[in-house]
Amino acid sequence: MKRVNVLLGGPTSEYPNELLNNASIIPGKWVGADRGNLYLISHGVMPAIAVGDFDSINKKEQKLVKDNIPDFEKYPPEKDDTDSQLAILAAHDKFDPDEYYVYGATGGRVDHFLANLYLPFDPRFADFYNKLYFKSATNTIRFFRPGSYTIYHENGMKYVAFAHLGPVSNLNIVDAKYTLKNFSADHAISWASNEFVKDTIDFNFDSGVIAVIQSCDKK
């Protein structure tokens, strides 16, 4: 499967171990948003695309990024899109991958995190939001369309949540520690702090968007 990695501007304290210790061997091309490009360059990774308004780095740092990354896309700070949206859309337009591993999407400012969490409701992401995979040190998030699914327990993660980000119909959590049967609602709910009782959990639903969040306490 074709994988692209996107590094956003979240704090390095939220980076998972593979990004902190082995960024250069993570498979797939990279797209950097704003300051994320500096981190990648300093860790031996050359992004294919640099995107953002670059308001979080100084002119000298901007020059370093621009001189090293030929595909340098700078936007004015007064814009409708976040740097996260621009970076993920750039990855989609240039590479159209099977998987988007997005780092730095869940930590730092809450308004930025919410903008990332609500991407499935932006029509520009409608065709591929289910290919997004947000990854941090203590959380992973995947988005699901209506259907039936089996998810696998990720190493190091203790909890699993099923969060419908708006209305949902006929949600069934089949074989987790806490099950749910034929649930429907007209508002968002996060069914948090569930757990695996085996290596997999099956779930299904008829309408809505489900974010499955595997998490652990601070390591």
Side-chain angles (χ1 to χ4, degrees):
M1 297 180 74
K2 185 166 64 172
R3 166 175 169 169
V4 166
N5 308 292
V6 181
L7 181 57
L8 307 180
T12 56
S13 60
E14 299 294 322
Y15 289 0
N17 285 335
E18 69 262 28
L19 186 56
L20 289 173
N21 302 324
N22 300 297
S24 63
I25 65 171
I26 293 175
K29 295 183 181 297
W30 283 89
V31 176
D34 209 288
R35 176 168 289 277
N37 293 284
L38 290 178
Y39 180 88
L40 291 171
I41 292 172
S42 69
H43 286 76
V45 177
M46 197 56 58
I49 309 173
V51 181
D53 54 28
F54 298 97
D55 61 352
S56 66
I57 62 177
N58 60 40
K59 290 184 178 179
K60 182 178 179 180
E61 291 170 329
Q62 283 191 44
K63 186 176 187 304
L64 174 67
V65 173
K66 189 173 183 179
D67 287 349
N68 282 277
I69 305 172
D71 196 342
F72 179 83
E73 302 177 12
K74 184 175 180 179
Y75 293 81
E78 297 79 13
K79 61 187 188 306
D80 293 331
D81 291 315
T82 66
D83 286 347
S84 301
Q85 291 168 316
L86 293 172
I88 295 171
L89 288 170
H92 177 65
D93 292 342
K94 181 148 186 148
F95 303 115
D96 192 20
D98 302 305
E99 298 177 317
Y100 301 72
Y101 276 67
V102 184
Y103 300 89
T106 61
R109 284 173 49 180
V110 173
D111 58 336
H112 284 170
F113 168 58
L114 290 175
N116 295 331
L117 189 65
Y118 295 150
L119 287 180
F121 300 99
D122 183 328
R124 297 172 299 174
F125 296 84
D127 291 339
F128 68 98
Y129 71 76
N130 59 317
K131 299 178 182 180
L132 299 176
Y133 181 64
F134 294 169
K135 190 167 176 56
S136 74
T138 54
N139 298 278
T140 65
I141 303 175
R142 294 177 61 196
F143 301 99
F144 291 85
R145 306 177 187 277
S148 297
Y149 301 96
T150 299
I151 60 168
Y152 291 83
H153 191 184
E154 296 184 22
N155 185 41
M157 298 301 182
K158 181 176 181 180
Y159 304 106
V160 59
F162 296 83
H164 46 91
L165 304 180
V168 70
S169 64
N170 198 30
L171 171 61
N172 296 276
I173 303 172
V174 178
D175 48 5
K177 184 176 182 179
Y178 307 106
T179 61
L180 192 65
K181 187 174 182 180
N182 303 129
F183 180 82
S184 298
D186 61 2
H187 58 281
I189 296 177
S190 177
W191 300 95
S193 296
N194 210 332
E195 296 181 39
F196 286 80
V197 294
K198 55 181 185 176
D199 290 337
T200 62
I201 293 174
D202 294 319
F203 75 102
N204 59 79
F205 62 109
D206 289 346
S207 67
V209 176
I210 299 286
V212 174
I213 306 166
Q214 294 197 44
S215 60
C216 63
D217 296 316
K218 193 70 175 179
K219 296 177 180 178

